[in-house]
Amino acid sequence: METPAIPMPKSAQEQEILGKLSAVRDQLLLLKRDRTKYIRSQDVVEHYEELVDLVKQLNEIRKHDQEHVENRVDKVLESCFQLISLFFMTIGRTSDVPAAYALTSTVKRLLDHLTEAGLYSPKDLDSLSNTLSRLDGILRNAEAQHSPYLIELLSKRAAFCKAMLSRLRQKLDQLEEPLQATYQKLISIMRSMSLANTKTKFSTSEVTKLQGNLKEIDESRVDGKFVDKEGNAYRGSEQVSELLNRCLAWSQIVLERKGVIPEAFRSRYEILSSVRNDLEKLSLTQAWSLRETDLYDFQRELDKIDESRVDGNFLDDEGKPAELYVQRTLLYLIRRSYGYIYYLMISSEPVSEALLPIYNQLQTLKRCLIEVKNSGGVSSVRELYPYVMKLTSIDNMRVDGKFMVGNDIPEGQGSISELLAECFELNYELRVAADEMENGASDKEDQTEE
């Protein structure tokens, strides 16, 4: 993010702001790296308020600058807001305006890549659309203490993303309905081949099977077109046929290259593979192991490689562009990684990391109780004792109705209390059902004895 291509500010006032912004960023990085204690709300809010104050000063300095050129101040400010945003997620304030900053950055990045590749499914767009709708709600209900600069910036970003999304959706709307399922299947096969291509151990049989699926779709065409029962080409047949041909060509290239990357691009491939693999592991264990601020380092690594492209191409040390196979392989890893970051952000729970262990235990208890209920309940109240003991032990952790950590009251009290109440309610329903079952059995015994 700090590259020599980004010029230093010319005015002494902006240079002073740069120094203060750099200090804020360094403090945030130190706070991010400290694993000895959980991140407290007051520490984050203090840095946020300091950042907002610096933005006010910067806006005042630039008020009459009609020809402002982006400089190092803008880049460091971006880093600060990105970090602050992830900190707000970490402390559980996921519905606050600052938390939306990192999410809009990632949504914008994903939309850029979908537009560039031209390969996406309705599911991709639906998820992004839902996220943007949620962000709209956050911005509409923004409280007065948040920076007007930040609210305006995020509103513009959200509007820009919605316009991009609309253009992407128009392309899919050109497909007649019967073709949409075929199109989505082709996207899925293309991604599965790219995944197989980037696995540590290449599997020829896996790619061959996917190629077979493509050939089945190809055989359903008539004279190279997708047609209805009357033999008329569906609207969008040419577009889907083009995608099918791309998939068939890619399957052949993947089978020929077998995951082997030229030495000139090997280091970038290994970095991107490592990032993708780490993010994949986090996506599987995120409830227990993710601190949202960790995503900052992954983003920086990805941004650096993604932004190193020239006219969309990766270049080797001699300035020669990568061949198609390398280009697509590296871009797949970048896009997949951004996708994982997006998933981890939207999965962020509205609970401070200090209370996440309790929250996760309650989530697990709730799932278990629902599973017990759906499988017919329990035959005896005794079977519920382990659940009751665990729920009671969590309930007894509260001090004056609050879950405390030292003298602090971390964010997420409402979410945990609500979850705890749901678990007690489920337990009560199961107990009542078990009591009725036991009483019914007892009544039958009495009737038999008579």
Side-chain angles (χ1 to χ4, degrees):
M1 286 189 178
E2 295 77 52
T3 98
I6 305 296
M8 287 289 287
K10 293 179 180 178
S11 77
Q13 288 175 303
E14 282 207 24
Q15 287 174 15
E16 186 181 347
I17 294 286
L18 175 61
K20 291 177 180 178
L21 283 172
S22 298
V24 171
R25 184 193 56 190
D26 292 344
Q27 288 165 0
L28 289 170
L29 288 171
L30 286 172
L31 188 60
K32 178 181 85 70
R33 293 184 188 122
D34 186 359
R35 292 279 181 172
T36 60
K37 55 185 181 291
Y38 82 92
I39 295 169
R40 302 185 310 162
S41 294
Q42 53 264 48
D43 294 333
V44 176
V45 171
E46 181 185 334
H47 289 307
Y48 172 64
E49 288 174 349
E50 188 178 357
L51 191 56
V52 167
D53 185 55
L54 288 171
V55 168
K56 286 178 184 174
Q57 294 178 40
L58 183 62
N59 286 343
E60 195 61 32
I61 293 168
R62 291 178 173 176
K63 192 160 58 176
H64 303 296
D65 184 1
Q66 300 296 323
E67 299 178 358
H68 171 69
V69 177
E70 186 179 76
N71 60 37
R72 196 74 61 90
V73 173
D74 300 284
K75 282 296 179 184
V76 177
L77 181 61
E78 183 185 336
S79 297
C80 289
F81 271 122
Q82 192 77 9
L83 278 164
I84 279 288
S85 183
L86 294 170
F87 271 112
F88 266 78
M89 290 185 191
T90 304
I91 62 175
R93 293 176 62 169
T94 54
S95 295
D96 277 33
V97 169
Y101 186 93
L103 196 47
T104 56
S105 298
T106 305
V107 168
K108 167 72 166 54
R109 186 76 67 164
L110 285 171
L111 287 168
D112 283 339
H113 278 286
L114 292 179
T115 301
E116 179 185 25
L119 298 173
Y120 50 89
S121 71
K123 287 181 181 177
D124 297 329
L125 304 189
D126 289 344
S127 175
L128 293 169
S129 178
N130 291 337
T131 298
L132 287 170
S133 295
R134 187 169 72 83
L135 291 176
D136 273 347
I138 291 173
L139 293 171
R140 273 197 308 270
N141 300 318
E143 296 179 9
Q145 75 264 27
H146 291 302
S147 165
Y149 160 83
L150 184 57
I151 294 170
E152 184 184 357
L153 172 66
L154 294 180
S155 297
K156 286 180 179 176
R157 273 195 189 180
F160 184 77
C161 287
K162 279 188 279 188
M164 289 183 74
L165 197 62
S166 177
R167 288 193 292 273
L168 291 172
R169 207 177 281 284
Q170 283 172 9
K171 183 180 174 184
L172 290 183
D173 289 343
Q174 293 169 9
L175 305 178
E176 204 163 334
E177 192 171 336
L179 274 187
Q180 290 183 8
T182 305
Y183 186 87
Q184 189 154 318
K185 188 175 181 181
L186 288 172
I187 294 292
S188 177
I189 292 172
M190 175 73 97
R191 289 174 179 173
S192 296
M193 285 191 297
S194 295
L195 172 60
N197 180 51
T198 55
K199 285 183 178 177
T200 307
K201 190 174 181 182
F202 184 84
S203 171
T204 300
S205 61
E206 186 178 350
V207 179
T208 303
K209 184 180 177 181
L210 291 166
Q211 190 181 57
N213 295 337
L214 292 172
K215 288 176 180 176
E216 283 179 19
I217 295 173
D218 188 21
E219 287 165 6
S220 71
R221 291 194 289 179
V222 177
D223 296 329
K225 297 176 182 177
F226 292 96
V227 300
D228 59 20
K229 290 177 182 178
E230 284 73 40
N232 300 315
Y234 285 117
R235 178 167 41 85
S237 171
E238 190 176 328
Q239 187 178 333
V240 178
S241 293
E242 183 187 341
L243 175 58
L244 173 59
N245 293 334
R246 281 180 69 180
C247 289
L248 285 165
W250 180 237
S251 68
Q252 200 55 46
I253 294 170
V254 169
L255 285 170
E256 288 170 5
R257 301 299 293 266
K258 293 183 168 55
V260 178
I261 299 293
E263 194 60 38
F265 297 95
R266 188 76 200 169
S267 62
R268 269 172 281 189
Y269 174 80
E270 288 173 353
I271 290 169
L272 291 172
S273 292
S274 176
V275 168
R276 190 271 313 267
N277 294 342
D278 287 345
L279 286 167
E280 184 178 26
K281 287 174 193 169
L282 275 177
S283 72
L284 297 173
T285 62
Q286 60 100 10
W288 301 96
S289 59
L290 175 68
R291 177 185 262 192
E292 283 81 356
T293 49
D294 294 340
L295 297 176
Y296 178 76
D297 294 327
F298 291 120
Q299 284 178 309
R300 288 195 66 183
E301 197 72 69
L302 290 170
D303 291 349
K304 187 167 63 176
I305 294 176
D306 194 19
E307 291 167 10
S308 70
R309 294 190 286 154
V310 177
D311 296 328
N313 295 318
F314 293 100
L315 305 181
D316 63 15
D317 293 339
E318 296 177 359
K320 295 176 183 175
E323 59 183 304
L324 178 66
Y325 172 72
V326 174
Q327 179 83 355
R328 282 194 183 171
T329 301
L330 295 182
L331 281 175
Y332 166 76
L333 289 170
I334 288 175
R335 289 164 184 164
R336 185 68 173 164
S337 297
Y338 280 129
Y340 277 128
I341 288 173
Y342 169 74
Y343 166 76
L344 290 165
M345 284 183 179
I346 62 173
S347 303
S348 182
E349 300 287 2
V351 175
S352 166
E353 66 170 347
L355 297 182
L356 267 181
I358 299 171
Y359 185 80
N360 291 332
Q361 287 176 55
L362 287 172
Q363 288 273 45
T364 304
L365 277 168
K366 182 181 174 182
R367 282 194 292 269
C368 290
L369 288 166
I370 289 173
E371 186 64 35
V372 170
K373 184 180 178 181
N374 292 340
S375 59
V378 294
S379 55
S380 165
V381 174
R382 279 180 170 276
E383 293 178 45
L384 293 173
Y385 284 177
Y387 300 109
V388 176
M389 289 173 66
K390 186 62 182 176
L391 287 171
T392 304
S393 71
I394 292 176
D395 193 26
N396 290 338
M397 294 169 69
R398 293 198 277 192
V399 179
D400 296 330
K402 300 284 194 300
F403 290 95
M404 308 282 288
V405 177
N407 295 320
D408 296 329
I409 305 174
E411 302 282 346
Q413 300 290 327
S415 297
I416 292 186
S417 295
E418 184 181 338
L419 192 51
L420 182 59
E422 287 175 12
C423 289
F424 271 122
E425 181 65 26
L426 283 165
N427 181 76
Y428 175 74
E429 289 173 9
L430 289 166
R431 194 186 78 197
V432 169
D435 280 338
E436 288 175 355
M437 195 182 296
E438 286 180 342
N439 290 335
S442 178
D443 290 344
K444 283 183 181 178
E445 286 177 13
D446 290 344
Q447 288 173 8
T448 305
E449 286 175 8
E450 289 175 8

PDB file of all heavy atoms in Angstrom, residues 270-296:
ATOM      1  N   GLU A 270       3.030 -19.561  -5.360  1.00  0.00           N
ATOM      2  CA  GLU A 270       3.147 -20.152  -4.018  1.00  0.00           C
ATOM      3  C   GLU A 270       2.572 -19.237  -2.942  1.00  0.00           C
ATOM      4  O   GLU A 270       1.932 -19.693  -1.990  1.00  0.00           O
ATOM      5  CB  GLU A 270       4.619 -20.481  -3.725  1.00  0.00           C
ATOM      6  CG  GLU A 270       5.105 -21.685  -4.531  1.00  0.00           C
ATOM      7  CD  GLU A 270       6.600 -21.932  -4.395  1.00  0.00           C
ATOM      8  OE1 GLU A 270       7.286 -21.072  -3.773  1.00  0.00           O
ATOM      9  OE2 GLU A 270       7.085 -22.958  -4.910  1.00  0.00           O
ATOM     10  N   ILE A 271       2.803 -17.930  -3.093  1.00  0.00           N
ATOM     11  CA  ILE A 271       2.230 -16.969  -2.126  1.00  0.00           C
ATOM     12  C   ILE A 271       0.710 -17.026  -2.172  1.00  0.00           C
ATOM     13  O   ILE A 271       0.038 -17.127  -1.143  1.00  0.00           O
ATOM     14  CB  ILE A 271       2.711 -15.535  -2.431  1.00  0.00           C
ATOM     15  CG1 ILE A 271       4.203 -15.379  -2.115  1.00  0.00           C
ATOM     16  CG2 ILE A 271       1.908 -14.502  -1.625  1.00  0.00           C
ATOM     17  CD1 ILE A 271       4.815 -14.086  -2.629  1.00  0.00           C
ATOM     18  N   LEU A 272       0.160 -16.993  -3.388  1.00  0.00           N
ATOM     19  CA  LEU A 272      -1.295 -16.999  -3.542  1.00  0.00           C
ATOM     20  C   LEU A 272      -1.911 -18.320  -3.083  1.00  0.00           C
ATOM     21  O   LEU A 272      -2.991 -18.333  -2.479  1.00  0.00           O
ATOM     22  CB  LEU A 272      -1.676 -16.721  -4.997  1.00  0.00           C
ATOM     23  CG  LEU A 272      -1.401 -15.296  -5.488  1.00  0.00           C
ATOM     24  CD1 LEU A 272      -1.634 -15.184  -6.986  1.00  0.00           C
ATOM     25  CD2 LEU A 272      -2.272 -14.287  -4.744  1.00  0.00           C
ATOM     26  N   SER A 273      -1.225 -19.426  -3.342  1.00  0.00           N
ATOM     27  CA  SER A 273      -1.718 -20.738  -2.881  1.00  0.00           C
ATOM     28  C   SER A 273      -1.750 -20.784  -1.360  1.00  0.00           C
ATOM     29  O   SER A 273      -2.703 -21.281  -0.754  1.00  0.00           O
ATOM     30  CB  SER A 273      -0.828 -21.870  -3.394  1.00  0.00           C
ATOM     31  OG  SER A 273      -0.936 -22.004  -4.780  1.00  0.00           O
ATOM     32  N   SER A 274      -0.702 -20.246  -0.754  1.00  0.00           N
ATOM     33  CA  SER A 274      -0.622 -20.228   0.710  1.00  0.00           C
ATOM     34  C   SER A 274      -1.732 -19.379   1.318  1.00  0.00           C
ATOM     35  O   SER A 274      -2.394 -19.780   2.287  1.00  0.00           O
ATOM     36  CB  SER A 274       0.750 -19.692   1.140  1.00  0.00           C
ATOM     37  OG  SER A 274       0.813 -19.573   2.539  1.00  0.00           O
ATOM     38  N   VAL A 275      -1.966 -18.195   0.725  1.00  0.00           N
ATOM     39  CA  VAL A 275      -3.040 -17.310   1.203  1.00  0.00           C
ATOM     40  C   VAL A 275      -4.389 -18.006   1.067  1.00  0.00           C
ATOM     41  O   VAL A 275      -5.203 -18.025   1.994  1.00  0.00           O
ATOM     42  CB  VAL A 275      -3.038 -15.971   0.432  1.00  0.00           C
ATOM     43  CG1 VAL A 275      -4.311 -15.185   0.717  1.00  0.00           C
ATOM     44  CG2 VAL A 275      -1.817 -15.139   0.808  1.00  0.00           C
ATOM     45  N   ARG A 276      -4.636 -18.589  -0.121  1.00  0.00           N
ATOM     46  CA  ARG A 276      -5.910 -19.288  -0.360  1.00  0.00           C
ATOM     47  C   ARG A 276      -6.121 -20.421   0.641  1.00  0.00           C
ATOM     48  O   ARG A 276      -7.197 -20.578   1.221  1.00  0.00           O
ATOM     49  CB  ARG A 276      -5.924 -19.821  -1.801  1.00  0.00           C
ATOM     50  CG  ARG A 276      -7.276 -20.373  -2.292  1.00  0.00           C
ATOM     51  CD  ARG A 276      -7.475 -21.875  -2.004  1.00  0.00           C
ATOM     52  NE  ARG A 276      -6.361 -22.692  -2.352  1.00  0.00           N
ATOM     53  CZ  ARG A 276      -6.222 -23.315  -3.526  1.00  0.00           C
ATOM     54  NH1 ARG A 276      -7.133 -23.203  -4.453  1.00  0.00           N
ATOM     55  NH2 ARG A 276      -5.176 -24.097  -3.740  1.00  0.00           N
ATOM     56  N   ASN A 277      -5.061 -21.224   0.876  1.00  0.00           N
ATOM     57  CA  ASN A 277      -5.166 -22.368   1.796  1.00  0.00           C
ATOM     58  C   ASN A 277      -5.414 -21.912   3.233  1.00  0.00           C
ATOM     59  O   ASN A 277      -6.218 -22.511   3.957  1.00  0.00           O
ATOM     60  CB  ASN A 277      -3.904 -23.220   1.727  1.00  0.00           C
ATOM     61  CG  ASN A 277      -3.734 -23.898   0.375  1.00  0.00           C
ATOM     62  OD1 ASN A 277      -4.701 -24.009  -0.386  1.00  0.00           O
ATOM     63  ND2 ASN A 277      -2.531 -24.324   0.058  1.00  0.00           N
ATOM     64  N   ASP A 278      -4.727 -20.855   3.652  1.00  0.00           N
ATOM     65  CA  ASP A 278      -4.919 -20.330   5.017  1.00  0.00           C
ATOM     66  C   ASP A 278      -6.340 -19.805   5.204  1.00  0.00           C
ATOM     67  O   ASP A 278      -6.970 -20.034   6.241  1.00  0.00           O
ATOM     68  CB  ASP A 278      -3.905 -19.210   5.305  1.00  0.00           C
ATOM     69  CG  ASP A 278      -2.500 -19.734   5.503  1.00  0.00           C
ATOM     70  OD1 ASP A 278      -2.342 -20.952   5.702  1.00  0.00           O
ATOM     71  OD2 ASP A 278      -1.549 -18.922   5.446  1.00  0.00           O
ATOM     72  N   LEU A 279      -6.837 -19.095   4.200  1.00  0.00           N
ATOM     73  CA  LEU A 279      -8.195 -18.546   4.284  1.00  0.00           C
ATOM     74  C   LEU A 279      -9.241 -19.665   4.259  1.00  0.00           C
ATOM     75  O   LEU A 279     -10.271 -19.582   4.925  1.00  0.00           O
ATOM     76  CB  LEU A 279      -8.444 -17.569   3.138  1.00  0.00           C
ATOM     77  CG  LEU A 279      -7.738 -16.214   3.267  1.00  0.00           C
ATOM     78  CD1 LEU A 279      -7.783 -15.455   1.949  1.00  0.00           C
ATOM     79  CD2 LEU A 279      -8.352 -15.376   4.388  1.00  0.00           C
ATOM     80  N   GLU A 280      -8.954 -20.715   3.496  1.00  0.00           N
ATOM     81  CA  GLU A 280      -9.876 -21.855   3.448  1.00  0.00           C
ATOM     82  C   GLU A 280      -9.975 -22.512   4.827  1.00  0.00           C
ATOM     83  O   GLU A 280     -11.067 -22.844   5.295  1.00  0.00           O
ATOM     84  CB  GLU A 280      -9.393 -22.874   2.411  1.00  0.00           C
ATOM     85  CG  GLU A 280     -10.344 -24.044   2.237  1.00  0.00           C
ATOM     86  CD  GLU A 280      -9.865 -25.024   1.172  1.00  0.00           C
ATOM     87  OE1 GLU A 280      -8.645 -25.096   0.928  1.00  0.00           O
ATOM     88  OE2 GLU A 280     -10.725 -25.700   0.597  1.00  0.00           O
ATOM     89  N   LYS A 281      -8.837 -22.671   5.493  1.00  0.00           N
ATOM     90  CA  LYS A 281      -8.852 -23.254   6.847  1.00  0.00           C
ATOM     91  C   LYS A 281      -9.632 -22.368   7.802  1.00  0.00           C
ATOM     92  O   LYS A 281     -10.412 -22.848   8.630  1.00  0.00           O
ATOM     93  CB  LYS A 281      -7.410 -23.422   7.361  1.00  0.00           C
ATOM     94  CG  LYS A 281      -6.638 -24.540   6.697  1.00  0.00           C
ATOM     95  CD  LYS A 281      -5.185 -24.538   7.154  1.00  0.00           C
ATOM     96  CE  LYS A 281      -4.329 -25.425   6.272  1.00  0.00           C
ATOM     97  NZ  LYS A 281      -2.886 -25.230   6.526  1.00  0.00           N
ATOM     98  N   LEU A 282      -9.422 -21.051   7.693  1.00  0.00           N
ATOM     99  CA  LEU A 282     -10.150 -20.118   8.562  1.00  0.00           C
ATOM    100  C   LEU A 282     -11.653 -20.196   8.315  1.00  0.00           C
ATOM    101  O   LEU A 282     -12.450 -20.073   9.250  1.00  0.00           O
ATOM    102  CB  LEU A 282      -9.671 -18.678   8.314  1.00  0.00           C
ATOM    103  CG  LEU A 282      -8.432 -18.217   9.081  1.00  0.00           C
ATOM    104  CD1 LEU A 282      -8.065 -16.808   8.650  1.00  0.00           C
ATOM    105  CD2 LEU A 282      -8.671 -18.242  10.586  1.00  0.00           C
ATOM    106  N   SER A 283     -12.045 -20.395   7.051  1.00  0.00           N
ATOM    107  CA  SER A 283     -13.478 -20.445   6.744  1.00  0.00           C
ATOM    108  C   SER A 283     -14.133 -21.669   7.370  1.00  0.00           C
ATOM    109  O   SER A 283     -15.338 -21.674   7.632  1.00  0.00           O
ATOM    110  CB  SER A 283     -13.700 -20.453   5.226  1.00  0.00           C
ATOM    111  OG  SER A 283     -13.330 -21.689   4.663  1.00  0.00           O
ATOM    112  N   LEU A 284     -13.344 -22.716   7.635  1.00  0.00           N
ATOM    113  CA  LEU A 284     -13.875 -23.929   8.254  1.00  0.00           C
ATOM    114  C   LEU A 284     -13.918 -23.833   9.772  1.00  0.00           C
ATOM    115  O   LEU A 284     -14.746 -24.470  10.422  1.00  0.00           O
ATOM    116  CB  LEU A 284     -13.024 -25.148   7.843  1.00  0.00           C
ATOM    117  CG  LEU A 284     -13.004 -25.478   6.344  1.00  0.00           C
ATOM    118  CD1 LEU A 284     -12.002 -26.576   6.053  1.00  0.00           C
ATOM    119  CD2 LEU A 284     -14.388 -25.889   5.872  1.00  0.00           C
ATOM    120  N   THR A 285     -13.013 -23.017  10.329  1.00  0.00           N
ATOM    121  CA  THR A 285     -12.913 -22.950  11.804  1.00  0.00           C
ATOM    122  C   THR A 285     -13.140 -21.545  12.326  1.00  0.00           C
ATOM    123  O   THR A 285     -12.806 -21.247  13.467  1.00  0.00           O
ATOM    124  CB  THR A 285     -11.513 -23.412  12.257  1.00  0.00           C
ATOM    125  OG1 THR A 285     -10.523 -22.527  11.703  1.00  0.00           O
ATOM    126  CG2 THR A 285     -11.219 -24.829  11.808  1.00  0.00           C
ATOM    127  N   GLN A 286     -13.714 -20.655  11.481  1.00  0.00           N
ATOM    128  CA  GLN A 286     -13.747 -19.225  11.805  1.00  0.00           C
ATOM    129  C   GLN A 286     -14.432 -18.914  13.134  1.00  0.00           C
ATOM    130  O   GLN A 286     -14.064 -17.981  13.827  1.00  0.00           O
ATOM    131  CB  GLN A 286     -14.394 -18.431  10.673  1.00  0.00           C
ATOM    132  CG  GLN A 286     -15.822 -18.805  10.330  1.00  0.00           C
ATOM    133  CD  GLN A 286     -16.824 -17.879  10.929  1.00  0.00           C
ATOM    134  OE1 GLN A 286     -16.473 -16.835  11.456  1.00  0.00           O
ATOM    135  NE2 GLN A 286     -18.080 -18.273  10.871  1.00  0.00           N
ATOM    136  N   ALA A 287     -15.431 -19.718  13.514  1.00  0.00           N
ATOM    137  CA  ALA A 287     -16.144 -19.428  14.764  1.00  0.00           C
ATOM    138  C   ALA A 287     -15.217 -19.505  15.967  1.00  0.00           C
ATOM    139  O   ALA A 287     -15.433 -18.841  16.976  1.00  0.00           O
ATOM    140  CB  ALA A 287     -17.306 -20.403  14.932  1.00  0.00           C
ATOM    141  N   TRP A 288     -14.164 -20.315  15.846  1.00  0.00           N
ATOM    142  CA  TRP A 288     -13.288 -20.540  16.995  1.00  0.00           C
ATOM    143  C   TRP A 288     -11.916 -19.896  16.856  1.00  0.00           C
ATOM    144  O   TRP A 288     -11.219 -19.696  17.847  1.00  0.00           O
ATOM    145  CB  TRP A 288     -13.109 -22.053  17.208  1.00  0.00           C
ATOM    146  CG  TRP A 288     -14.405 -22.747  17.436  1.00  0.00           C
ATOM    147  CD1 TRP A 288     -15.165 -23.385  16.502  1.00  0.00           C
ATOM    148  CD2 TRP A 288     -15.129 -22.854  18.669  1.00  0.00           C
ATOM    149  NE1 TRP A 288     -16.304 -23.877  17.071  1.00  0.00           N
ATOM    150  CE2 TRP A 288     -16.310 -23.577  18.399  1.00  0.00           C
ATOM    151  CE3 TRP A 288     -14.884 -22.405  19.970  1.00  0.00           C
ATOM    152  CZ2 TRP A 288     -17.250 -23.859  19.389  1.00  0.00           C
ATOM    153  CZ3 TRP A 288     -15.824 -22.691  20.950  1.00  0.00           C
ATOM    154  CH2 TRP A 288     -16.986 -23.411  20.657  1.00  0.00           C
ATOM    155  N   SER A 289     -11.500 -19.592  15.623  1.00  0.00           N
ATOM    156  CA  SER A 289     -10.100 -19.181  15.455  1.00  0.00           C
ATOM    157  C   SER A 289      -9.892 -17.831  14.777  1.00  0.00           C
ATOM    158  O   SER A 289      -8.765 -17.361  14.692  1.00  0.00           O
ATOM    159  CB  SER A 289      -9.359 -20.253  14.636  1.00  0.00           C
ATOM    160  OG  SER A 289      -9.966 -20.414  13.370  1.00  0.00           O
ATOM    161  N   LEU A 290     -10.980 -17.204  14.288  1.00  0.00           N
ATOM    162  CA  LEU A 290     -10.776 -15.981  13.509  1.00  0.00           C
ATOM    163  C   LEU A 290     -10.801 -14.731  14.373  1.00  0.00           C
ATOM    164  O   LEU A 290     -11.706 -14.540  15.175  1.00  0.00           O
ATOM    165  CB  LEU A 290     -11.864 -15.855  12.431  1.00  0.00           C
ATOM    166  CG  LEU A 290     -11.826 -14.556  11.616  1.00  0.00           C
ATOM    167  CD1 LEU A 290     -10.592 -14.517  10.725  1.00  0.00           C
ATOM    168  CD2 LEU A 290     -13.093 -14.390  10.785  1.00  0.00           C
ATOM    169  N   ARG A 291      -9.790 -13.910  14.185  1.00  0.00           N
ATOM    170  CA  ARG A 291      -9.826 -12.528  14.658  1.00  0.00           C
ATOM    171  C   ARG A 291      -9.860 -11.700  13.385  1.00  0.00           C
ATOM    172  O   ARG A 291      -8.910 -11.742  12.592  1.00  0.00           O
ATOM    173  CB  ARG A 291      -8.583 -12.198  15.498  1.00  0.00           C
ATOM    174  CG  ARG A 291      -8.537 -10.768  15.961  1.00  0.00           C
ATOM    175  CD  ARG A 291      -7.236 -10.416  16.680  1.00  0.00           C
ATOM    176  NE  ARG A 291      -7.384 -10.483  18.121  1.00  0.00           N
ATOM    177  CZ  ARG A 291      -6.490 -10.014  18.988  1.00  0.00           C
ATOM    178  NH1 ARG A 291      -5.390  -9.438  18.542  1.00  0.00           N
ATOM    179  NH2 ARG A 291      -6.672 -10.128  20.292  1.00  0.00           N
ATOM    180  N   GLU A 292     -10.949 -10.976  13.175  1.00  0.00           N
ATOM    181  CA  GLU A 292     -11.166 -10.314  11.875  1.00  0.00           C
ATOM    182  C   GLU A 292     -10.003  -9.438  11.451  1.00  0.00           C
ATOM    183  O   GLU A 292      -9.757  -9.279  10.242  1.00  0.00           O
ATOM    184  CB  GLU A 292     -12.454  -9.487  11.916  1.00  0.00           C
ATOM    185  CG  GLU A 292     -13.723 -10.291  11.802  1.00  0.00           C
ATOM    186  CD  GLU A 292     -14.178 -10.929  13.110  1.00  0.00           C
ATOM    187  OE1 GLU A 292     -13.441 -10.790  14.117  1.00  0.00           O
ATOM    188  OE2 GLU A 292     -15.241 -11.555  13.142  1.00  0.00           O
ATOM    189  N   THR A 293      -9.283  -8.868  12.398  1.00  0.00           N
ATOM    190  CA  THR A 293      -8.139  -8.017  12.038  1.00  0.00           C
ATOM    191  C   THR A 293      -7.048  -8.810  11.304  1.00  0.00           C
ATOM    192  O   THR A 293      -6.226  -8.225  10.594  1.00  0.00           O
ATOM    193  CB  THR A 293      -7.534  -7.348  13.287  1.00  0.00           C
ATOM    194  OG1 THR A 293      -7.324  -8.346  14.294  1.00  0.00           O
ATOM    195  CG2 THR A 293      -8.455  -6.266  13.826  1.00  0.00           C
ATOM    196  N   ASP A 294      -7.047 -10.143  11.452  1.00  0.00           N
ATOM    197  CA  ASP A 294      -6.057 -10.966  10.735  1.00  0.00           C
ATOM    198  C   ASP A 294      -6.254 -10.862   9.220  1.00  0.00           C
ATOM    199  O   ASP A 294      -5.323 -11.091   8.454  1.00  0.00           O
ATOM    200  CB  ASP A 294      -6.186 -12.437  11.141  1.00  0.00           C
ATOM    201  CG  ASP A 294      -5.812 -12.676  12.594  1.00  0.00           C
ATOM    202  OD1 ASP A 294      -5.105 -11.825  13.162  1.00  0.00           O
ATOM    203  OD2 ASP A 294      -6.230 -13.708  13.166  1.00  0.00           O
ATOM    204  N   LEU A 295      -7.464 -10.530   8.800  1.00  0.00           N
ATOM    205  CA  LEU A 295      -7.751 -10.452   7.361  1.00  0.00           C
ATOM    206  C   LEU A 295      -6.976  -9.326   6.689  1.00  0.00           C
ATOM    207  O   LEU A 295      -6.756  -9.356   5.478  1.00  0.00           O
ATOM    208  CB  LEU A 295      -9.252 -10.248   7.134  1.00  0.00           C
ATOM    209  CG  LEU A 295     -10.168 -11.377   7.630  1.00  0.00           C
ATOM    210  CD1 LEU A 295     -11.632 -10.994   7.430  1.00  0.00           C
ATOM    211  CD2 LEU A 295      -9.856 -12.685   6.919  1.00  0.00           C
ATOM    212  N   TYR A 296      -6.547  -8.343   7.476  1.00  0.00           N
ATOM    213  CA  TYR A 296      -5.816  -7.196   6.922  1.00  0.00           C
ATOM    214  C   TYR A 296      -4.548  -7.645   6.194  1.00  0.00           C
ATOM    215  O   TYR A 296      -4.265  -7.195   5.077  1.00  0.00           O
ATOM    216  CB  TYR A 296      -5.461  -6.229   8.054  1.00  0.00           C
ATOM    217  CG  TYR A 296      -4.668  -5.017   7.620  1.00  0.00           C
ATOM    218  CD1 TYR A 296      -5.272  -3.956   6.951  1.00  0.00           C
ATOM    219  CD2 TYR A 296      -3.299  -4.933   7.877  1.00  0.00           C
ATOM    220  CE1 TYR A 296      -4.543  -2.843   6.559  1.00  0.00           C
ATOM    221  CE2 TYR A 296      -2.565  -3.821   7.494  1.00  0.00           C
ATOM    222  CZ  TYR A 296      -3.187  -2.782   6.829  1.00  0.00           C
ATOM    223  OH  TYR A 296      -2.452  -1.690   6.441  1.00  0.00           O
TER     224      TYR A 296
END
